Amino acid sequence: MSGTPLIEISGVTFAYDGSPTLEEVNLVLEEGDYACLIGPNGGGKTTLLKLILGLLHPQKGTIRVWGRPPEEARVRVGYIPQRHRLDPNFPADVLDVVLMGRLGTSSAFGPYRRRDKEAALACLREVEMEDFRHRSFAALSGGEQQRVLIARALACEPRLLLLDEPTANLDVHMEGALYDLLSRLNRRMSVALVSHDVGIVTRFARTVVCVNRRVLSHPTAELTGEMIQDMYGGDVLLVRHDLHCAHGEHT
Amino acid sequence: MIEFVEALGEHAFLRGALLAGLLASVACGVVGSYVVARRISYIAGGIAHCVLGGMGAARYFSVVHGWEWAHPLYGALAAAILGALVIGWVSLRLREREDTVISAVWSFGMAVGVLFIWKTPGYNEDLMNYLFGNILIISGHDLWLLGILDVCVLAMGVMCYRPLLAVCFDEEYARLRGVSVEFYYLLLLLLAAVTVVVLVTVVGIILAIAMLTLPAAAAGQFSRTLWRMMVTATLFCAGIVALGLAASYGPNLPAGATMIVLACLLYALATFLGPMVRGAKKA
């Protein structure tokens, strides 16, 4: 597999109806990367993720994941969708939700196998949610639900994690914990996440992918304020998390 | 109540009615929970109402053309399955017009049914029985058919629990995990269709949808997982059927309508108590 890029998108154009959401997109991400997709709302970030997952199909161009079509590759891709899409009253407990990630690894009929349950519990342990396994998913806080959805994504033993706005509606503390978890997971798998929060890029991601109908990618170290301004087409409030002041400097 | 228990010992038709109601409760609890969890009660309503077309047609052909085998329940089953496939196909292909198409199937089925019944000679008591059910006139043949449908629904609903749960909870994610979302969505609609036919014999076309959804929705208030919801909903259904029969027997009330009033009361009570019970568990 060495030499084959993780994701290779060439000449992709995609439109839902009428004018294209994404146009002439070229992008290469390497195995082990931690990429952050940023850009304005409606710029095509989620669309790009769905193309990589094979949930949408481009009108033009090709997408390869580990050199294969997305529909074949996605058995090894863990996806964490936007949480607000899910029914807030659905009757399922935490273990149920994580076990859904095991579908496709064994026969779908009859009850879950012991192996599936053990794998699901291991994933819950990984996100420190094992004690919540019999709690109702609907009754969890946003941050806890997000962790469970990550466990569900881990349950298929993925080599790539794709996350869509994982920090939406999380408080700062939860957000920090989530990024720590992703950094830890990045040691053994590639991570790509969509965010509207430019600040996180400088702290965690290795590659930043700017998505606004067209797509540009840069190593994080080269990202400048001008580039972000260009992409959003205006001033952006950018918080530099890599600069810290000593205690007492603020009054 | 004692009067009812005594009558149960005396009259075979009452035992048949109770048995039919209890059989229906099993399918109703399992499929009703899927329907409520997936929020497709409107679709189930459309399927339930278009059943009249099939029942009316079957009655017409058996009376006018002497098709002895054309039992109204077969007509109901055919119409329900056809309705489910049409609605399913439309909702998978043309999502944005889904509600309009459901209303169309809903009304078309009823209109066709009324036309057939209108052209069927004789005294048309049938229409009222189809619309509001008459559990007391259930025959041995009906009971067998109910039993077979019940077993089919239960087997599919239980065997395909995992993929159905995944499709109900998060369709997109199920697709990513290699689950054939279209297949299981259609299967769910077909299960709903068969269950509706079973319920039509108990409470009639118009009330079937209430019986399918209200006990399940009430059970949802106290259930953490879908399978617990199914078990609770089945018990609720069985309770409503038994209590409805007993309560309607003495004062000679229509059993179907009595059951639905009980189902509504149960649902109201559950909605009121549910948050309290959940709060108490958490504390």
Side-chain angles (χ1 to χ4, degrees), chain A residues 29-51:
Chain A
L29 294 177
E30 297 298 335
E31 191 82 52
D33 205 339
Y34 188 147
C36 184
L37 283 61
I38 58 170
N41 282 336
K45 301 181 299 269
T46 299
T47 305
L48 189 59
L49 274 199
K50 292 194 171 175
L51 284 165

Side-chain angles (χ1 to χ4, degrees), chain B:
Chain B
M1 191 62 82
I2 296 165
E3 185 190 3
F4 174 72
V5 176
E6 280 170 3
L8 209 54
E10 278 170 37
H11 304 298
F13 77 92
L14 262 190
R15 288 195 295 276
L18 186 62
L19 181 61
L22 295 180
L23 280 176
S25 300
V26 180
C28 183
V30 172
V31 176
S33 298
Y34 281 128
V35 166
V36 169
R38 182 64 176 75
R39 295 177 184 246
I40 51 169
S41 37
Y42 189 57
I43 293 185
I47 296 173
H49 285 76
C50 80
V51 154
L52 186 65
M55 296 182 99
R59 184 92 183 100
Y60 175 81
F61 285 113
S62 74
V63 171
V64 176
H65 295 284
W67 297 8
E68 291 289 329
W69 54 269
H71 191 282
L73 269 186
Y74 296 146
L77 194 59
I81 288 174
L82 195 66
L85 290 177
V86 169
I87 292 174
W89 184 81
V90 168
S91 102
L92 288 170
R93 297 279 160 232
L94 321 158
R95 279 170 189 276
E96 70 273 29
R97 285 278 167 262
E98 193 181 341
D99 55 338
T100 312
V101 176
I102 295 168
S103 308
V105 170
W106 181 310
S107 324
F108 178 77
M110 295 215 85
V112 168
V114 169
L115 289 179
F116 272 117
I117 291 169
W118 185 261
K119 291 309 266 179
T120 307
Y123 183 58
N124 269 316
E125 202 176 354
D126 298 341
L127 183 62
M128 281 301 274
N129 284 343
Y130 296 163
L131 290 181
F132 296 101
N134 192 348
I135 196 173
L136 298 178
I137 54 165
I138 269 177
S139 67
H141 166 269
D142 295 349
L143 274 177
W144 272 107
L145 188 62
L146 285 191
I148 292 168
L149 294 180
D150 218 28
V151 169
C152 293
V153 167
L154 197 62
M156 293 310 283
V158 170
M159 225 168 59
C160 301
Y161 179 78
R162 288 165 54 197
L164 282 173
L165 174 69
V167 169
C168 290
F169 179 67
D170 187 350
E171 202 176 293
E172 190 177 63
Y173 197 83
R175 191 187 303 280
L176 290 177
R177 297 271 55 86
V179 175
S180 171
V181 171
E182 286 80 10
F183 173 80
Y184 285 104
Y185 185 65
L186 283 180
L187 177 67
L188 185 56
L189 294 190
L190 289 176
L191 289 179
V194 174
T195 308
V196 157
V197 172
V198 170
L199 287 173
V200 161
T201 59
V202 178
V203 292
I205 288 170
I206 293 183
L207 304 177
I209 187 64
M211 200 61 181
L212 185 66
T213 53
L214 291 179
Q221 291 287 347
F222 309 106
S223 312
R224 204 177 56 224
T225 65
L226 188 61
W227 71 265
R228 282 164 203 263
M229 182 168 161
M230 289 171 175
V231 173
T232 314
T234 302
L235 293 176
F236 280 173
C237 267
I240 288 167
V241 164
L243 216 62
L245 263 181
S248 63
Y249 182 74
N252 192 24
L253 298 171
T258 311
M259 290 175 199
I260 297 307
V261 169
L262 287 176
C264 290
L265 289 177
L266 172 73
Y267 177 61
L269 196 67
T271 314
F272 179 69
L273 289 179
M276 282 197 247
V277 172
R278 286 198 300 274
K281 266 187 200 165
K282 243 186 219 175

